[in-house]
Amino acid sequence: MAWLINQQYFRDKLQFGPGGETGAVNEMVRHTFERTGANILGKRMFDQGEVSWPEEAPFHTPVYVLTHEKREPWVRPGGTTFYFINEGPERALELARAAAGERDIRISGGADVIQQYLTLNLIDELEIALAPVLFGAGRRLFENLGETASQFRIDSVLNGTHATHLRYVRA
């Protein structure tokens, strides 16, 4: 995620201090954050962020965490509340839709969570940051999706300093 941390908008949002890149990628980040009314995460992604996010988490929206563990909502400064959903992806989406109103719902991942929503045919567009970083075996985002993956076409490609950003839309 080094590409994101280097963007001026993100640095300002998390109060990381002055600096950061401006330009097309920075504007893409701004647009994504400004249009998002709720977020959905998987438990592993939440676990990774819980220890590294600042006290004021970067979302500033309700965040629905898909998990099998029971946990009370976790309220953070700046408008982020994490809700832990045990009833599956459809229930998380229902709650996110109610919270987001007319704004978008951002499914931040990981790959397993995104695959669940793709399989349920509930994603209209995908924005993927492709960075040359190896994390071991990892998860292939479009693996075992059958016809679902072929329902999308590349809408735009944005080359950044640290990542290439691919935007897919439903064909």
Side-chain angles (χ1 to χ4, degrees):
M1 298 300 291
W3 71 268
L4 180 59
I5 293 169
N6 287 332
Q7 300 310 307
Q8 181 184 36
Y9 178 81
F10 191 77
R11 292 182 61 78
D12 290 348
K13 190 168 189 60
L14 269 71
Q15 301 173 7
F16 283 171
E21 297 175 13
T22 59
V25 173
N26 187 62
E27 291 308 308
M28 178 199 67
V29 170
R30 177 189 315 278
H31 177 69
T32 298
F33 272 91
E34 289 177 350
R35 71 183 195 183
T36 300
N39 287 269
I40 297 175
L41 300 178
K43 178 70 164 76
R44 284 184 296 221
M45 180 169 267
F46 169 78
D47 287 345
Q48 291 171 359
E50 184 177 22
V51 297
S52 62
W53 290 319
E55 183 177 359
E56 188 173 315
F59 302 98
H60 303 277
T61 70
V63 179
Y64 300 90
V65 180
L66 293 172
T67 182
H68 296 290
E69 298 174 20
K70 300 270 186 208
R71 183 171 168 178
E72 292 299 313
W74 186 39
V75 180
R76 307 303 303 147
T80 300
T81 300
F82 294 93
Y83 298 95
F84 302 90
I85 309 304
N86 307 112
E87 300 85 311
E90 294 97 336
R91 178 67 176 146
L93 183 60
E94 177 185 335
L95 294 168
R97 280 182 174 152
E102 296 295 316
R103 296 171 71 196
D104 289 348
I105 298 163
R106 183 170 180 232
I107 303 170
S108 301
D112 182 57
V113 171
I114 294 169
Q115 286 176 344
Q116 289 178 57
Y117 284 101
L118 283 167
T119 300
L120 291 167
N121 205 28
L122 295 171
I123 293 182
D124 296 322
E125 67 181 56
L126 292 162
E127 289 182 356
I128 298 171
L130 183 61
V133 177
L134 299 176
F135 290 112
R139 296 284 311 258
R140 291 186 172 108
L141 185 59
F142 295 112
E143 187 173 58
N144 300 319
L145 292 177
E147 292 296 315
T148 303
S150 65
Q151 295 175 11
F152 289 88
R153 66 173 175 77
I154 293 177
D155 180 63
S156 63
V157 177
L158 180 59
N159 295 312
T161 306
H162 302 285
T164 298
H165 304 274
L166 304 166
R167 182 173 184 267
Y168 291 83
V169 294
R170 191 170 292 282

